[in-house]
Amino acid sequence: QKEVEQNSGPLSVPEGAIASLNCTYSDRGSQSFFWYRQYSGKSPELIMFIYSNGDKEDGRFTAQLNKASQYVSLLIRDSQPSDSATYLCAVQGSARQLTFGSGTQLTVLP
Amino acid sequence: DGGITQSPKYLFRKEGQNVTLSCEQNLNHDAMYWYRQDPGQGLRLIYYSQIVNDFQKGDIAEGYSVSREKKESFPLTVTSAQKNPTAFYLCASSTFTGAETQYFGPGTRLLVL
């Protein structure tokens, strides 16, 4: 069973703080890793993806990947109330299909 | 505008009825996918198609059927065999080669009367 695990939250951070979202996966053959943001009642939208070990930065977002530990994270710097959403981790495994975690609900408090 | 459209936004199904959800894309993507999302849950793969006239079952295909007669279209039928169809249904597409980043349509919410 290919699994992707996320803390369901809710995670609350004050405005301007760093939000840290974590994800672990079980398939060692996983190749690509994606973070999606989903507002309530809406469809997921891609934030960023990462393939290689290390950090990848895009504006206020940083994805971190550690394949040896089977761990991927998303950091959101200078969090804003508009960042309040559910964040889905998705992993492309050896079968090339995406497996999604159940998501972490983030609330940024003004 | 390029994108993925799904219709209807809301759909009501009566007992024993088959219903069809529409998904169209004009991104020229080869691959298309159907997912189901239940409240507080992640997305579960129902069916996917990588080329026209070919599709494969995902993790929860029972009670569903699909067709892929055109590259742009990938309709999903929820049959009467699906006993718990109430969910948020999401269609996605991706280029077959490369990163296979998936982009999602706006979704259809299916409710049972």
Side-chain angles (χ1 to χ4, degrees), chain A residues 17-46:
Chain A
I18 296 174
S20 177
L21 306 164
N22 304 316
C23 175
T24 58
Y25 59 95
S26 62
D27 182 2
R28 285 198 169 272
S30 298
Q31 302 167 4
S32 306
F33 307 84
F34 302 84
W35 283 101
Y36 287 85
R37 177 175 62 198
Q38 186 176 25
Y39 293 112
S40 181
K42 303 296 185 182
S43 62
E45 54 181 326
L46 181 70

mmCIF file of all heavy atoms in Angstrom, chain A residues 17-46:
data_model
loop_
_atom_site.group_PDB
_atom_site.id
_atom_site.type_symbol
_atom_site.label_atom_id
_atom_site.label_comp_id
_atom_site.label_asym_id
_atom_site.label_seq_id
_atom_site.Cartn_x
_atom_site.Cartn_y
_atom_site.Cartn_z
ATOM 1 N N ALA A 17 4.134 34.974 10.560
ATOM 2 C CA ALA A 17 4.971 33.868 11.029
ATOM 3 C C ALA A 17 5.277 32.901 9.890
ATOM 4 O O ALA A 17 4.748 33.021 8.789
ATOM 5 C CB ALA A 17 4.273 33.135 12.174
ATOM 6 N N ILE A 18 6.143 31.936 10.176
ATOM 7 C CA ILE A 18 6.437 30.864 9.222
ATOM 8 C C ILE A 18 5.542 29.668 9.536
ATOM 9 O O ILE A 18 5.488 29.196 10.669
ATOM 10 C CB ILE A 18 7.915 30.438 9.303
ATOM 11 C CG1 ILE A 18 8.835 31.583 8.895
ATOM 12 C CG2 ILE A 18 8.164 29.223 8.413
ATOM 13 C CD1 ILE A 18 10.318 31.282 9.075
ATOM 14 N N ALA A 19 4.853 29.182 8.514
ATOM 15 C CA ALA A 19 4.049 27.963 8.657
ATOM 16 C C ALA A 19 4.846 26.805 8.068
ATOM 17 O O ALA A 19 5.408 26.917 6.977
ATOM 18 C CB ALA A 19 2.717 28.109 7.933
ATOM 19 N N SER A 20 4.893 25.696 8.798
ATOM 20 C CA SER A 20 5.649 24.519 8.367
ATOM 21 C C SER A 20 4.706 23.335 8.231
ATOM 22 O O SER A 20 4.062 22.936 9.192
ATOM 23 C CB SER A 20 6.749 24.211 9.380
ATOM 24 O OG SER A 20 7.450 23.033 9.007
ATOM 25 N N LEU A 21 4.641 22.792 7.026
ATOM 26 C CA LEU A 21 3.738 21.685 6.724
ATOM 27 C C LEU A 21 4.584 20.486 6.331
ATOM 28 O O LEU A 21 5.514 20.608 5.529
ATOM 29 C CB LEU A 21 2.797 22.073 5.584
ATOM 30 C CG LEU A 21 2.016 23.370 5.815
ATOM 31 C CD1 LEU A 21 1.431 23.889 4.517
ATOM 32 C CD2 LEU A 21 0.927 23.150 6.839
ATOM 33 N N ASN A 22 4.245 19.329 6.875
ATOM 34 C CA ASN A 22 5.090 18.152 6.691
ATOM 35 C C ASN A 22 4.341 17.011 6.029
ATOM 36 O O ASN A 22 3.121 16.878 6.166
ATOM 37 C CB ASN A 22 5.621 17.694 8.047
ATOM 38 C CG ASN A 22 6.355 18.798 8.768
ATOM 39 O OD1 ASN A 22 7.139 19.515 8.168
ATOM 40 N ND2 ASN A 22 6.073 18.969 10.047
ATOM 41 N N CYS A 23 5.116 16.148 5.372
ATOM 42 C CA CYS A 23 4.545 15.030 4.632
ATOM 43 C C CYS A 23 5.571 13.908 4.587
ATOM 44 O O CYS A 23 6.751 14.161 4.321
ATOM 45 C CB CYS A 23 4.194 15.514 3.217
ATOM 46 S SG CYS A 23 3.599 14.264 2.069
ATOM 47 N N THR A 24 5.141 12.688 4.875
ATOM 48 C CA THR A 24 6.022 11.522 4.721
ATOM 49 C C THR A 24 5.372 10.558 3.735
ATOM 50 O O THR A 24 4.144 10.543 3.575
ATOM 51 C CB THR A 24 6.271 10.811 6.053
ATOM 52 O OG1 THR A 24 5.002 10.395 6.605
ATOM 53 C CG2 THR A 24 6.967 11.717 7.044
ATOM 54 N N TYR A 25 6.205 9.756 3.076
ATOM 55 C CA TYR A 25 5.687 8.834 2.076
ATOM 56 C C TYR A 25 6.367 7.487 2.216
ATOM 57 O O TYR A 25 7.474 7.391 2.742
ATOM 58 C CB TYR A 25 5.860 9.408 0.674
ATOM 59 C CG TYR A 25 7.297 9.708 0.296
ATOM 60 C CD1 TYR A 25 8.059 8.786 -0.405
ATOM 61 C CD2 TYR A 25 7.882 10.925 0.638
ATOM 62 C CE1 TYR A 25 9.368 9.051 -0.734
ATOM 63 C CE2 TYR A 25 9.195 11.201 0.313
ATOM 64 C CZ TYR A 25 9.934 10.265 -0.376
ATOM 65 O OH TYR A 25 11.241 10.534 -0.708
ATOM 66 N N SER A 26 5.716 6.445 1.728
ATOM 67 C CA SER A 26 6.221 5.091 1.959
ATOM 68 C C SER A 26 6.931 4.486 0.746
ATOM 69 O O SER A 26 7.738 3.566 0.906
ATOM 70 C CB SER A 26 5.075 4.177 2.389
ATOM 71 O OG SER A 26 4.093 4.099 1.368
ATOM 72 N N ASP A 27 6.629 4.982 -0.465
ATOM 73 C CA ASP A 27 7.193 4.387 -1.682
ATOM 74 C C ASP A 27 8.583 4.952 -1.950
ATOM 75 O O ASP A 27 8.718 6.102 -2.366
ATOM 76 C CB ASP A 27 6.253 4.660 -2.856
ATOM 77 C CG ASP A 27 6.744 4.040 -4.156
ATOM 78 O OD1 ASP A 27 7.799 3.367 -4.159
ATOM 79 O OD2 ASP A 27 6.081 4.238 -5.189
ATOM 80 N N ARG A 28 9.630 4.125 -1.746
ATOM 81 C CA ARG A 28 10.998 4.600 -1.949
ATOM 82 C C ARG A 28 11.300 4.914 -3.409
ATOM 83 O O ARG A 28 12.269 5.596 -3.709
ATOM 84 C CB ARG A 28 11.997 3.561 -1.427
ATOM 85 C CG ARG A 28 12.105 3.526 0.077
ATOM 86 C CD ARG A 28 13.368 2.831 0.546
ATOM 87 N NE ARG A 28 13.571 3.025 1.966
ATOM 88 C CZ ARG A 28 14.221 4.060 2.485
ATOM 89 N NH1 ARG A 28 14.718 4.988 1.694
ATOM 90 N NH2 ARG A 28 14.366 4.173 3.786
ATOM 91 N N GLY A 29 10.457 4.399 -4.314
ATOM 92 C CA GLY A 29 10.650 4.684 -5.730
ATOM 93 C C GLY A 29 10.025 5.993 -6.179
ATOM 94 O O GLY A 29 10.043 6.318 -7.362
ATOM 95 N N SER A 30 9.488 6.758 -5.260
ATOM 96 C CA SER A 30 8.825 8.015 -5.608
ATOM 97 C C SER A 30 9.813 8.996 -6.216
ATOM 98 O O SER A 30 10.958 9.098 -5.780
ATOM 99 C CB SER A 30 8.172 8.640 -4.371
ATOM 100 O OG SER A 30 7.177 7.780 -3.860
ATOM 101 N N GLN A 31 9.325 9.710 -7.232
ATOM 102 C CA GLN A 31 10.227 10.534 -8.026
ATOM 103 C C GLN A 31 9.913 12.026 -7.944
ATOM 104 O O GLN A 31 10.811 12.851 -8.009
ATOM 105 C CB GLN A 31 10.138 10.089 -9.488
ATOM 106 C CG GLN A 31 10.465 8.625 -9.701
ATOM 107 C CD GLN A 31 10.073 8.146 -11.081
ATOM 108 O OE1 GLN A 31 9.621 8.917 -11.913
ATOM 109 N NE2 GLN A 31 10.249 6.866 -11.340
ATOM 110 N N SER A 32 8.632 12.351 -7.862
ATOM 111 C CA SER A 32 8.244 13.752 -7.926
ATOM 112 C C SER A 32 7.258 14.043 -6.802
ATOM 113 O O SER A 32 6.459 13.185 -6.433
ATOM 114 C CB SER A 32 7.589 14.088 -9.273
ATOM 115 O OG SER A 32 8.421 13.705 -10.338
ATOM 116 N N PHE A 33 7.327 15.280 -6.322
ATOM 117 C CA PHE A 33 6.559 15.640 -5.130
ATOM 118 C C PHE A 33 5.906 16.995 -5.352
ATOM 119 O O PHE A 33 6.548 17.918 -5.853
ATOM 120 C CB PHE A 33 7.485 15.663 -3.914
ATOM 121 C CG PHE A 33 8.269 14.384 -3.769
ATOM 122 C CD1 PHE A 33 9.448 14.200 -4.466
ATOM 123 C CD2 PHE A 33 7.785 13.366 -2.969
ATOM 124 C CE1 PHE A 33 10.153 13.007 -4.363
ATOM 125 C CE2 PHE A 33 8.480 12.171 -2.864
ATOM 126 C CZ PHE A 33 9.661 11.990 -3.566
ATOM 127 N N PHE A 34 4.636 17.080 -4.994
ATOM 128 C CA PHE A 34 3.848 18.262 -5.324
ATOM 129 C C PHE A 34 3.133 18.768 -4.077
ATOM 130 O O PHE A 34 2.692 17.992 -3.223
ATOM 131 C CB PHE A 34 2.791 17.915 -6.387
ATOM 132 C CG PHE A 34 3.373 17.354 -7.657
ATOM 133 C CD1 PHE A 34 3.682 16.005 -7.760
ATOM 134 C CD2 PHE A 34 3.608 18.167 -8.750
ATOM 135 C CE1 PHE A 34 4.219 15.472 -8.920
ATOM 136 C CE2 PHE A 34 4.146 17.648 -9.914
ATOM 137 C CZ PHE A 34 4.449 16.301 -9.995
ATOM 138 N N TRP A 35 2.993 20.080 -4.008
ATOM 139 C CA TRP A 35 2.159 20.715 -2.983
ATOM 140 C C TRP A 35 1.038 21.471 -3.674
ATOM 141 O O TRP A 35 1.283 22.283 -4.570
ATOM 142 C CB TRP A 35 2.970 21.672 -2.122
ATOM 143 C CG TRP A 35 3.822 20.966 -1.107
ATOM 144 C CD1 TRP A 35 5.152 20.710 -1.180
ATOM 145 C CD2 TRP A 35 3.374 20.438 0.149
ATOM 146 N NE1 TRP A 35 5.570 20.044 -0.054
ATOM 147 C CE2 TRP A 35 4.507 19.865 0.781
ATOM 148 C CE3 TRP A 35 2.145 20.396 0.811
ATOM 149 C CZ2 TRP A 35 4.432 19.259 2.043
ATOM 150 C CZ3 TRP A 35 2.074 19.786 2.057
ATOM 151 C CH2 TRP A 35 3.201 19.227 2.659
ATOM 152 N N TYR A 36 -0.203 21.173 -3.243
ATOM 153 C CA TYR A 36 -1.380 21.856 -3.739
ATOM 154 C C TYR A 36 -2.049 22.580 -2.577
ATOM 155 O O TYR A 36 -2.038 22.116 -1.441
ATOM 156 C CB TYR A 36 -2.392 20.855 -4.324
ATOM 157 C CG TYR A 36 -2.003 20.248 -5.655
ATOM 158 C CD1 TYR A 36 -1.183 19.123 -5.719
ATOM 159 C CD2 TYR A 36 -2.478 20.791 -6.848
ATOM 160 C CE1 TYR A 36 -0.845 18.559 -6.941
ATOM 161 C CE2 TYR A 36 -2.145 20.234 -8.080
ATOM 162 C CZ TYR A 36 -1.331 19.121 -8.109
ATOM 163 O OH TYR A 36 -1.001 18.557 -9.319
ATOM 164 N N ARG A 37 -2.676 23.702 -2.899
ATOM 165 C CA ARG A 37 -3.480 24.440 -1.931
ATOM 166 C C ARG A 37 -4.946 24.306 -2.343
ATOM 167 O O ARG A 37 -5.291 24.441 -3.523
ATOM 168 C CB ARG A 37 -3.083 25.916 -1.939
ATOM 169 C CG ARG A 37 -3.900 26.813 -1.018
ATOM 170 C CD ARG A 37 -3.313 28.224 -1.022
ATOM 171 N NE ARG A 37 -3.381 28.821 -2.345
ATOM 172 C CZ ARG A 37 -2.654 29.872 -2.712
ATOM 173 N NH1 ARG A 37 -1.798 30.436 -1.868
ATOM 174 N NH2 ARG A 37 -2.781 30.362 -3.939
ATOM 175 N N GLN A 38 -5.801 24.054 -1.372
ATOM 176 C CA GLN A 38 -7.227 23.896 -1.651
ATOM 177 C C GLN A 38 -8.028 24.743 -0.682
ATOM 178 O O GLN A 38 -8.059 24.469 0.519
ATOM 179 C CB GLN A 38 -7.652 22.415 -1.564
ATOM 180 C CG GLN A 38 -9.084 22.177 -1.994
ATOM 181 C CD GLN A 38 -9.463 20.702 -2.002
ATOM 182 O OE1 GLN A 38 -8.891 19.893 -1.295
ATOM 183 N NE2 GLN A 38 -10.439 20.355 -2.837
ATOM 184 N N TYR A 39 -8.685 25.757 -1.218
ATOM 185 C CA TYR A 39 -9.609 26.544 -0.416
ATOM 186 C C TYR A 39 -10.912 25.780 -0.270
ATOM 187 O O TYR A 39 -11.261 24.948 -1.113
ATOM 188 C CB TYR A 39 -9.858 27.904 -1.062
ATOM 189 C CG TYR A 39 -8.659 28.815 -1.070
ATOM 190 C CD1 TYR A 39 -8.014 29.162 -2.250
ATOM 191 C CD2 TYR A 39 -8.164 29.338 0.125
ATOM 192 C CE1 TYR A 39 -6.914 30.000 -2.250
ATOM 193 C CE2 TYR A 39 -7.065 30.178 0.130
ATOM 194 C CZ TYR A 39 -6.442 30.496 -1.050
ATOM 195 O OH TYR A 39 -5.342 31.325 -1.045
ATOM 196 N N SER A 40 -11.632 26.065 0.796
ATOM 197 C CA SER A 40 -12.867 25.344 1.101
ATOM 198 C C SER A 40 -13.849 25.401 -0.060
ATOM 199 O O SER A 40 -14.178 26.486 -0.562
ATOM 200 C CB SER A 40 -13.504 25.943 2.360
ATOM 201 O OG SER A 40 -14.691 25.252 2.680
ATOM 202 N N GLY A 41 -14.288 24.244 -0.510
ATOM 203 C CA GLY A 41 -15.267 24.175 -1.594
ATOM 204 C C GLY A 41 -14.694 24.343 -2.990
ATOM 205 O O GLY A 41 -15.440 24.313 -3.972
ATOM 206 N N LYS A 42 -13.384 24.510 -3.087
ATOM 207 C CA LYS A 42 -12.733 24.727 -4.388
ATOM 208 C C LYS A 42 -11.844 23.552 -4.747
ATOM 209 O O LYS A 42 -11.611 22.657 -3.943
ATOM 210 C CB LYS A 42 -11.902 26.012 -4.348
ATOM 211 C CG LYS A 42 -12.694 27.257 -3.984
ATOM 212 C CD LYS A 42 -13.751 27.575 -5.023
ATOM 213 C CE LYS A 42 -14.445 28.883 -4.707
ATOM 214 N NZ LYS A 42 -15.521 29.182 -5.694
ATOM 215 N N SER A 43 -11.335 23.567 -5.971
ATOM 216 C CA SER A 43 -10.441 22.495 -6.416
ATOM 217 C C SER A 43 -9.001 22.828 -6.043
ATOM 218 O O SER A 43 -8.656 23.985 -5.798
ATOM 219 C CB SER A 43 -10.579 22.298 -7.926
ATOM 220 O OG SER A 43 -10.193 23.463 -8.615
ATOM 221 N N PRO A 44 -8.142 21.824 -5.986
ATOM 222 C CA PRO A 44 -6.732 22.073 -5.644
ATOM 223 C C PRO A 44 -6.025 22.887 -6.720
ATOM 224 O O PRO A 44 -6.276 22.711 -7.911
ATOM 225 C CB PRO A 44 -6.136 20.665 -5.557
ATOM 226 C CG PRO A 44 -7.300 19.749 -5.372
ATOM 227 C CD PRO A 44 -8.423 20.384 -6.115
ATOM 228 N N GLU A 45 -5.127 23.755 -6.273
ATOM 229 C CA GLU A 45 -4.283 24.503 -7.210
ATOM 230 C C GLU A 45 -2.825 24.259 -6.853
ATOM 231 O O GLU A 45 -2.448 24.230 -5.682
ATOM 232 C CB GLU A 45 -4.613 25.996 -7.175
ATOM 233 C CG GLU A 45 -4.552 26.632 -5.805
ATOM 234 C CD GLU A 45 -4.905 28.107 -5.820
ATOM 235 O OE1 GLU A 45 -4.594 28.800 -6.809
ATOM 236 O OE2 GLU A 45 -5.505 28.567 -4.822
ATOM 237 N N LEU A 46 -2.006 24.075 -7.869
ATOM 238 C CA LEU A 46 -0.604 23.741 -7.663
ATOM 239 C C LEU A 46 0.154 24.929 -7.092
ATOM 240 O O LEU A 46 0.054 26.045 -7.594
ATOM 241 C CB LEU A 46 0.021 23.328 -8.989
ATOM 242 C CG LEU A 46 1.491 22.927 -8.926
ATOM 243 C CD1 LEU A 46 1.639 21.595 -8.200
ATOM 244 C CD2 LEU A 46 2.080 22.836 -10.337
#
